[in-house]
Amino acid sequence: MVEEGAPLWEPSPEIVRNAKVTRYAEWLGRTGDYESLWQWSVDAPEEFWTSIWDYFEVVGERGDGPVMSGGMPGTEWFAGSTLNYAANALRGAADDPGRLAVVSRDEAGGRGALTLGELAEEVARVRAGLAALGVGRGDRVAAYVPNVPEALVAFLATASLGAIWSSCSPDFGAPSVIDRFTQIEPKVLVAVDGYDYNGRSFDRSTVVQDIAAKLPTLVAQVRIPSRAARSTPGAGATGATDAADATGRPGAVSPDETVTVTAHGVRTVSWAEVRAVAGPLAFEPVPFGHPLWIVYSSGTTGLPKPIVHGHGGVVLEHLKALSFHQDLGEDDVFFWYTTTGWMMWNYLVGGLLVGSAVVLYDGAATYPETGALWRLAAEEGVTYFGTGAPYVIASMKADLEPSGLDRLRGLGSTGSPLPPEGFAWVHDTLPEVQLGSFSGGTDVCTGFVGAVPLLPVRAGVIPCRCLGARVESFDPSGVPLVGEVGELVLTLPMPSMPVMFWNDPDGSRYRDSYFAEYPGVWRHGDWIKILPDGGCVIYGRSDSTLNRGGVRMGTSEFYRVVERFEEITDSLVIDTGQLGQEGRLLLYVTMAETATLDDDLVARLRRELREGLSPRHVPNEIIEVPGIPRTLSGKKLEVPIRKILLGVAPEKAANLDAMANPEVLSHFVPGADVTRH
């Protein structure tokens, strides 16, 4: 066992002196330690966020309005200002077109690359293609794509038009994608025919057509061929296969591959056709809070919540977080293992804002073996490597000794809490590398708490609250706690908080999601302990959201699949993950009177969950119980059952007097005599 708080890494005087946050503090004329800088950032938020705009010389027009007005929810930022995310991401293309911007890799060994000038040219082409399809300011472009260059190019082209991007990974099943995209009514669907994962190929052409058929607002579908179809014969000399041709440009295929067909009354065009015409690189100026993208975070009831982030909030937050907390700049190669269905993809491509080259990886983290990502990082000279905590744990359990990482100076971990043993393994294996464990969420597309080059690393402890994030720990009555576990809350707004939920005209869904527990205070749904010196320990979700491989999904999505089966009358799904361990996904079912939970039904259940949700959401066990515990008002007791499975006594985990059927609790106690599959 590794003791929580054990010292592991200390920044050298040279690291502190050269840190980008140190230069920023000097520019401000502020001396002192990090904690005093953080305190100023939350005591004087108008000054702080104005300094971020000015320090990074954000491309845009500052308005005459106040920096912030109104409380939470509903804070308005930089009233009267205009800017565009894509203009800031591509700002160096004219002056430094030869600088490396994007590296694309896949699990089969394929590689492609784009300079900043080439990336800008591709964005201009696809921008013209999307505009020709009728995409303009405020329209939605939905994407069902893997982490390939086409996804990045299409996103930047969409943003440049003032249109709104939203993406799902192709391992999501049709029902999950339809639940998301039908809410936002997209005009164009960008979709891939298939994808490869863990050494296998998956055809998604039928799924794509099923999705398109449920989106009546579509005017066009843009087809990206699968990896095999994108491969260019003879490109092996440059290593540019699969995701790029020999020039490194994404999807540059011959003109005879361009097709136009009709499916479900929707025009279908190829990627080659969309990028066929060289267009001017232009950027639509939009207000600070104009929607940039829509991401999805699921609660425990209803459809996934379509969270809208604005251009300005994302630009300022990602400039701050990536530069000051992860110390990234123009000399860096930035990689985070993610899919397009996780907010870390949005965070990864933000590396372009600070001038870093970004590495896009399409494939499984552990194919063909557990060390695949470490090998990729070594081959590409990655300087900052981000991944989920489960990959760190898997590497530790496999006794890996990564090598060739001479340029690596930072390792990011997120998605779930990393236990002290994971911290210690990183330090023992890569003693010169600073481990940055971060915690935040899709809701703000950043971290609230994380690392900074000025502070040491201790086992199991996140070093600090991030600049501009007034994070506190509240007890149930809203009293701040220090040194005790409580609810993670924010008592001050941040610019990257959602500008709204899509199709939530009165804002009630947004308010209920974050502000119902503590009016005027953002409740995030994590357990946190804030130490006297500002360090933080995250103890996982305080609600019942499923978090599998960094992909959050509400239990309601799970129930919609399971409870379609006539043989099942009720169900309950519990994710037991905690403290950096993925945990087990347990599905409890109550059977209809004449039905039996046999092997055939179990197989059909697993298949439907795999195809309807994703492979990550197939349960480890399916368990038959006589009843699902509910409150008197009919709500399922998800959080109390999770506590029971983690060892809390039933009478302490649940209010028996408030239950409609307290007698069923005994079937959920560890070791209960139940039928398991």
Side-chain angles (χ1 to χ4, degrees), residues 233-324:
T238 65
T241 61
D242 295 339
D245 71 358
T247 69
R249 292 184 174 86
V253 295
S254 60
D256 59 5
E257 292 185 52
T258 299
V259 295
T260 302
V261 298
T262 300
H264 302 292
V266 175
R267 182 186 178 198
T268 300
V269 298
S270 72
W271 179 259
E273 184 175 355
V274 167
R275 66 166 300 278
V277 178
L281 183 61
F283 306 99
E284 176 75 10
V286 295
F288 189 90
H290 182 79
L292 170 63
W293 57 48
I294 300 172
V295 292
Y296 304 91
S297 180
S298 301
T300 57
T301 59
L303 292 170
K305 299 177 180 68
I307 297 171
V308 183
H309 293 131
H311 280 247
V314 171
V315 167
L316 291 190
E317 174 58 36
H318 286 185
L319 284 171
K320 176 213 77 177
L322 291 164
S323 183
F324 298 156

Side-chain angles (χ1 to χ4, degrees), residues 186-260:
K187 177 174 279 189
V188 170
L189 174 66
V190 181
V192 71
D193 287 344
Y195 72 99
D196 290 356
Y197 186 84
N198 208 30
R200 296 177 57 197
S201 295
F202 297 86
D203 182 2
R204 305 309 269 172
S205 55
T206 300
V207 174
V208 170
Q209 294 310 313
D210 290 344
I211 294 168
K214 297 292 186 180
L215 301 175
T217 56
L218 284 186
V219 300
Q221 176 186 322
V222 178
R223 178 184 63 84
I224 297 176
S226 63
R227 181 188 297 170
R230 292 197 306 271
S231 298
T232 305
T238 65
T241 61
D242 295 339
D245 71 358
T247 69
R249 292 184 174 86
V253 295
S254 60
D256 59 5
E257 292 185 52
T258 299
V259 295
T260 302

